[in-house]
Amino acid sequence: MLDICMTLLFFAVGAILGSFGCCQVWRIRNGDKSKRSHCLHCKYRLKWYDNVPILSWLLLGGKCRKCHKKIGYAEILSEFFGGVVFALSYWLWPGGLSFVGDVSVFALMKFGLYSLLLTIFVILFVYDAKWKEMPTSVLWGACGVGVAYCFADFLERATVGGGVVAGDFIELLGAIGVLPGFYFLMYRVSDEKWVGGGDWILCLPIALVLGNIWLALFALFGSNLLGSFVMVPLASAKKKKKMKIPFGPFLIVAFLLVFWAQDWIMEFVGL
Ligand SMILES: [Zn+2]
């Protein structure tokens, strides 16, 4: 019973974060500084009841209440998948997620930073899927959150974990070398043809949160596998050989899968 309640609660929080993230996409794109969200066509200011994630979109049939123009699918998709990802995070959090009893403050910090990073990833995911580029300021914001997460992780290990050893730093450096390092090299060597400028920056927070060379390798392999599964049929359907690929969404999905499966992966590689 508790699990069902927690799952629903996490889904609701994730849907709100997804909704918030998707709103920011338009604000950043249009340089809009206003606090309240509004319709992109008629500037109708959304009331609180127009802002309930998923439900409002469904009740209005994906249209603006005033001008009845289509809102688009990005909104409901980010709300729905924000909810799904958050509910899955509750179930698949490495080592189990707990907020009661003897919980380390650093573990709580890690979850808070992870939630913040997910919200930023919603922005980057939608932005990259729409315009095949990612806003640099948001990317560096994600890096800042990644650094903070990494700190909290080391502090947790130093206090309640088995302590920090030199190997932990080597693993972290390995992760940075494998993901952002490799992509930065590809970006430089190919002169932005294979890898976009945003992709290697996006790899930084991913490497910092995974913090392990094996996990980074799985994320690298996974994102390329996902990318080819989706983009090869799409490119051949459109008969375009030189299609620009938004790689950010694949990196983000691969990151989540590896993050959730990290205990199994580490067991698999025998460490
Ligand atoms: Zn409107």
Side-chain angles (χ1 to χ4, degrees):
M1 188 58 200
L2 179 72
D3 276 340
I4 297 171
C5 290
M6 286 305 272
T7 308
L8 289 174
L9 180 70
F10 269 73
F11 183 87
V13 172
I16 293 168
L17 295 181
S19 177
F20 174 79
C22 193
C23 278
Q24 303 314 309
V25 171
W26 293 107
R27 295 228 172 101
I28 294 161
R29 186 72 181 178
N30 301 329
D32 181 0
K33 298 240 161 52
S34 66
K35 288 234 164 64
R36 297 284 301 272
S37 24
H38 55 74
C39 170
L40 292 169
H41 304 287
C42 69
K43 304 279 179 271
Y44 161 69
R45 277 193 153 199
L46 269 64
K47 303 280 187 313
W48 66 267
Y49 48 80
D50 298 318
N51 263 328
V52 184
I54 302 173
L55 292 179
S56 294
W57 197 98
L58 290 177
L59 286 172
L60 294 167
K63 288 176 187 142
C64 166
R65 186 183 293 279
K66 201 166 159 227
C67 71
H68 304 290
K69 289 235 172 74
K70 286 229 168 86
I71 298 170
Y73 289 96
E75 278 74 12
I76 184 142
L77 289 176
S78 13
E79 288 162 6
F80 177 74
F81 284 107
V84 169
V85 163
F86 227 64
L88 282 173
S89 303
Y90 170 68
W91 285 97
L92 300 171
W93 189 259
L97 192 58
S98 167
F99 298 105
V100 286
D102 198 13
V103 189
S104 149
V105 63
F106 300 120
L108 292 176
M109 268 172 67
K110 273 167 68 182
F111 185 74
L113 290 163
Y114 168 86
S115 310
L116 182 59
L117 193 62
L118 283 193
T119 313
I120 298 175
F121 279 179
V122 171
I123 302 175
L124 294 173
F125 190 110
V126 176
Y127 208 101
D128 201 15
K130 269 186 189 293
W131 299 292
K132 294 178 179 135
E133 59 180 17
M134 289 179 274
T136 316
S137 56
V138 181
L139 282 168
W140 289 115
C143 292
V145 178
V147 170
Y149 181 98
C150 193
F151 261 113
D153 190 40
F154 270 101
L155 286 170
E156 188 194 14
R157 276 192 254 178
T159 49
V160 286
V164 178
V165 289
D168 293 339
F169 290 99
I170 296 167
E171 306 244 297
L172 176 66
L173 285 176
I176 293 171
V178 162
L179 269 177
F182 176 71
Y183 274 102
F184 181 70
L185 207 68
M186 298 271 284
Y187 158 72
R188 270 302 172 83
V189 166
S190 74
D191 206 17
E192 271 193 71
K193 277 193 199 78
W194 304 333
V195 173
D199 296 328
W200 78 267
I201 309 177
L202 176 60
C203 286
L204 262 169
I206 292 177
L208 285 165
V209 172
L210 293 178
N212 177 282
I213 188 164
W214 286 106
L215 300 178
L217 277 170
F218 268 78
L220 177 73
F221 182 68
S223 56
N224 282 285
L225 198 67
L226 283 169
S228 42
F229 268 140
V230 176
M231 295 321 284
V232 169
L234 215 66
S236 56
K238 287 188 175 171
K239 293 200 172 66
K240 274 186 191 166
K241 278 221 173 104
K242 277 189 181 166
M243 198 165 68
K244 203 172 179 239
I245 300 167
F247 202 61
F250 300 113
L251 274 170
I252 290 168
V253 173
F255 157 71
L256 285 171
L257 295 176
V258 172
F259 184 82
W260 292 332
Q262 58 179 274
D263 289 348
W264 296 305
I265 291 174
M266 294 313 279
E267 210 170 302
F268 175 73
V269 296
L271 288 163

